[in-house]
Amino acid sequence: MIVLVLLGGCGAIGLTDREGKPPGEVEDVVLTIEGIDPSWGPLGEDTEITITGPGVGTATDVKVGNTEGISFSVVDDTTLLATVPAYDAEAVVAVRVVGSAGTDTVADGFTYANEAPADTDTDVDSDTDSDADTDADTDTDTSGRGKTGGVIQFGLVQYACTACYDPAMPALSVVATGKFHEPTRDGWLDWLPAEGDCVDSPSPAAPADTFLDGGRWLYLTSGSRSVAMQSDSTNTYTASDLDEGDFVRNAAYDVSLANGGDDLDPFDVGDGLQTPQAISELTPVELLYTNPSQAFSARIARSGPSFTWGPTGGGGSFVIELGVYSGSSGAPLGSVVCRGTDNGRMSLPSSALSAYPTGSLVEVGMYRYVIGSFERPDNSSTVETTALFGVIGTGILTP
């Protein structure tokens, strides 16, 4: 019996450094967003913004709200221009820049509105504020702004061949977890490749290993459906006995820390997490074979395989993870993770699987991601949210 698991490692493939940025040039710079101008845009129109700060010129990906991989160009080491895509509803969203010098997020970096928001921090105010105003300002803690202060993850994964695992996997798994911690510069999703890239044997690293006490219960609620996550001795929130109905497709979930604890006060965030739609079709269709005697029938081209799926869209990312195993012993050989837009097709570079021998067994995970965030009320740090719908099948590596 072949034992398949998702792997972690290190290294990158299919990646090239941005022109004019040789490896090592910015080792001593930490990417930090210091300015976003303008910080708002009218509804229904694209808006070009300028993002400034140390290390911004190393950017490989820019995200505004739930929209990743937006168009941008680097001006110099500390400046880039990005185009914020049109949106038809008023909203305040995060701006995130990922680069070789690090990752930084401004939780309320851009506002969609029909008119410019009122400026509450002008030069005149800073010079002439009364003592009363100054006292009021100190009541708001923004020490975590631009940093990561937690993560909430919610996912549904379907396994095609449940008996291909030892022990056997469930046909469907729904998982919800949550963690809060002191603000850090690193994020929970920094390990993901930029859209259009692949990473060889990624090794996800948690930005924190000590978590805050927020009380016993954390809830995700969409309409009449509520997912209850209970805290354990490490202050990690997990849900148990979830089924397919708990993961409402293409829906917004409110996030509620019910009673608060020693470290965190209770809070409610409307529409704090967005789920994707389901994957209802994909190719190669042999990935979906459920009988062990037919498993590993999908032919995964070593020279650069292609995958398709449907339906498409939803404003998220699409991630394909391939775990490679020995065809004779089933021993793990490595893994490859590639990320693209949710446009229905992804072709992997020829270098992605070239290190593995023909005849290797392949576990193929195809995941639709929606990545978002909200601002933690106590210190304005960013809580990253991730929801995914995935399908995992099996194949064999061919020339």
Side-chain angles (χ1 to χ4, degrees), residues 35 77 123 148 159 164 215 218 220 333 399:
D77 290 347
D123 292 339
T148 303
Y159 290 86
C164 292
L218 175 67
L220 300 177
L333 302 179

Side-chain angles (χ1 to χ4, degrees), residues 4 157-165 169-173 282 284-292 294-296 298 363-365 390-395:
L4 298 184
V157 176
Q158 296 178 339
Y159 290 86
C161 182
T162 60
C164 292
Y165 297 80
M169 297 298 292
L172 185 146
S173 175
L282 57 82
V285 295
E286 292 85 358
L287 291 173
L288 300 178
Y289 286 177
T290 60
N291 189 321
Q294 295 178 305
F296 304 102
E363 178 191 57
V364 180
V391 178
I392 297 178
T394 57

Side-chain angles (χ1 to χ4, degrees), residues 108-180:
D108 54 356
F110 189 82
T111 301
Y112 292 96
N114 279 322
E115 59 183 24
D119 185 358
T120 58
D121 189 23
T122 66
D123 292 339
V124 173
D125 290 339
S126 63
D127 291 337
T128 62
D129 273 347
S130 67
D131 291 341
D133 289 338
T134 302
D135 291 340
D137 291 341
T138 60
D139 291 338
T140 301
D141 181 3
T142 59
S143 60
R145 179 160 294 168
K147 299 179 181 180
T148 303
V151 64
I152 297 174
Q153 299 174 311
F154 191 27
L156 182 153
V157 176
Q158 296 178 339
Y159 290 86
C161 182
T162 60
C164 292
Y165 297 80
D166 186 14
M169 297 298 292
L172 185 146
S173 175
V174 181
V175 176
T177 64
K179 302 174 182 180
F180 304 100

